[in-house]
Amino acid sequence: MSLLRSLSSTLARVGLAGLALGLTGCDTVVMKPHGDIAAQQAQLIVTSTLLMLLIIVPVIALTLFFAWRYRQSNTEATYSPDWDHSTRLELIIWGAPLLIIIALGAITWISTHKLDPYRPLDRIDAERPLPADVKPLVVEVVALDWKWLFLYPEQGVATVNELAAPVDRPIQFRITSSNVMNAFYVPALAGMVYAMPGMETKLHAVINKAGNYEGLSANYSGAGFSNMRFRFHGLSDADFDKWVANNRQQGSQLDGAAYQQLEQPSEREPVRRYGKVEAGLFSAIVNRCVDGQKMCMHQMMAIDAAGGSGKPGIAGLMRQPWRNEEGDTERMVVAGLCTPTNLLGEPLPVTKR
């Protein structure tokens, strides 16, 4: 028996040592981020944890105390087999947790509105308010299978699996997905926000320290999910301008046809640069009509809002190739309306992608 106890004690010590060694290699960027939004979220975690520990620690301590104080072998402890109620004890037992819950509820209510990802920033960090003349950097994010596409509409460039932004400048992310639901997440910058096909979500954030940070997909989206990562560079204004100029010089053109090729599933994609981006591409991605054959979603919604096209609308349907888990097949879609290259709205020839 003593041998077993000694062995179990040794194994426990080895396990704790291994656990401590493993924790030394953990990345603490979530609790020590370099973006103001992420810093506020980290502080919210700390505050909530401390409030809950106000109940958890005393309960654990009192449990151990009562177990020791009123053990069977302690003849000095008060023995009251008929005791069943104490108003003072009931007030403490129910009142303290109630106060903690009220405090947590108030903090959650305030933080939910203050850290709303759709809410524009009102400060650079805790000590600097946002100047009135500062314009946010707009970045359009597209989650592909299995890579990330970033479009800079003001700069006219785009990148795959590389994101950059100036330090201390607000960033407005416009986020969507090409196929399945995903989640955009840069731990050092802000919390994760979902990317959904046919929808646009938003995130406002700011990076306060220059550096090279990791971004990733935080929602399982298929076989290549584990490698769906990218680098986020926090740069000075001058370095960001150089980064944009480098993309313009070295990058190719990203138009509808190039996007359809990029959209095909692939894993471990290297960084790609595009020095010129077709106007309106992100809007076409959100409305799922990049190929120019299907009617855009906003067009269909406008028709539905007006009462629909009725039975004559059947003539506007066409077959289109469709890729699913069982292989290539076809589906019925609504043909595109008139476009700059199809003024009469005639169905376009369907080609396999």
Side-chain angles (χ1 to χ4, degrees):
M1 182 64 70
S2 61
L3 179 62
L4 289 175
R5 289 180 179 176
S6 177
L7 181 60
S8 62
S9 177
T10 302
L11 290 175
R13 292 176 181 177
V14 172
L16 289 174
L19 179 60
L21 182 62
L23 289 175
T24 58
C26 289
D27 189 355
T28 59
V29 65
V30 174
M31 299 309 299
K32 293 183 179 180
H34 301 293
D36 183 57
I37 296 298
Q40 293 182 67
Q41 293 170 338
Q43 184 59 47
L44 177 61
I45 294 174
V46 172
T47 302
S48 301
T49 302
L50 292 176
L51 282 173
M52 290 184 285
L53 287 176
L54 290 177
I55 292 297
I56 295 172
V57 172
V59 167
I60 294 176
L62 288 173
T63 300
L64 297 175
F65 171 76
F66 284 124
W68 173 257
R69 178 74 174 83
Y70 297 101
R71 67 191 187 278
Q72 184 178 5
S73 60
N74 185 14
T75 57
E76 297 180 358
T78 303
Y79 179 63
S80 302
D82 298 326
W83 180 87
D84 62 358
H85 179 73
S86 170
T87 302
R88 182 181 301 176
L89 189 59
E90 291 286 345
L91 289 174
I92 295 174
I93 291 174
W94 292 104
L98 181 60
L99 292 176
I100 299 297
I101 292 172
I102 292 174
L104 286 172
I107 292 174
T108 301
W109 173 266
I110 295 171
S111 300
T112 298
H113 292 82
K114 185 178 180 181
L115 300 177
D116 181 1
Y118 280 65
R119 179 185 179 186
L121 302 185
D122 56 7
R123 72 182 202 182
I124 300 298
D125 56 31
E127 300 177 354
R128 293 177 293 172
L130 181 68
D133 58 343
V134 173
K135 186 178 180 182
L137 173 69
V138 178
V139 181
E140 297 166 341
V141 182
V142 183
L144 303 170
D145 291 336
W146 286 275
K147 47 196 171 285
W148 292 94
L149 172 64
F150 303 103
L151 304 130
Y152 291 77
E154 297 176 5
Q155 290 73 24
V157 299
T159 56
V160 171
N161 287 341
E162 184 180 65
L163 174 64
V167 172
D168 292 338
R169 180 178 175 182
I171 313 169
Q172 178 186 350
F173 293 102
R174 302 174 60 193
I175 307 168
T176 191
S177 174
S178 67
N179 190 1
V180 300
M181 186 173 178
N182 220 301
F184 173 75
Y185 186 32
V186 182
L189 183 67
M192 65 185 72
V193 173
Y194 282 118
M196 293 170 281
M199 299 179 64
E200 178 187 327
T201 52
K202 294 181 180 180
L203 171 65
H204 291 82
V206 62
I207 190 71
N208 300 122
K209 182 179 179 181
N212 185 2
Y213 307 102
E214 183 180 28
L216 62 143
S217 167
N219 188 82
Y220 181 74
S221 58
F225 158 77
S226 299
N227 299 311
M228 195 172 171
R229 298 173 179 268
F230 62 91
R231 304 309 303 180
F232 169 55
H233 303 288
L235 306 173
S236 64
D237 291 337
D239 288 340
F240 178 73
D241 292 338
K242 293 178 181 178
W243 182 83
V244 172
N246 181 58
N247 287 337
R248 287 173 178 166
Q249 293 175 0
Q250 299 183 7
S252 57
Q253 181 175 356
L254 180 63
D255 54 15
Y259 172 79
Q260 292 180 70
Q261 292 295 325
L262 181 64
E263 189 182 19
Q264 300 304 311
S266 61
E267 299 182 35
R268 299 179 182 274
E269 279 286 333
V271 174
R272 297 190 191 183
R273 306 182 189 280
Y274 297 93
K276 187 177 181 181
V277 181
E278 180 180 329
L281 180 60
F282 182 76
S283 177
I285 295 172
V286 174
N287 286 283
R288 306 182 69 77
C289 56
V290 177
D291 59 6
Q293 298 180 9
K294 299 187 298 294
M295 183 187 295
C296 294
M297 288 178 55
H298 72 277
Q299 294 173 322
M300 286 189 282
M301 289 186 286
I303 292 174
D304 291 340
S309 58
K311 189 174 180 180
I314 298 176
L317 299 179
M318 70 175 183
R319 293 185 178 274
Q320 186 180 64
W322 174 250
R323 183 185 66 251
N324 59 17
E325 295 179 356
E326 300 176 357
D328 292 337
T329 181
E330 290 185 337
R331 63 175 179 174
M332 297 296 295
V333 299
V334 181
L337 294 178
C338 58
T339 65
T341 58
N342 182 16
L343 298 179
L344 299 179
E346 298 175 352
L348 300 177
V350 177
T351 56
K352 288 275 188 178
R353 289 196 292 170

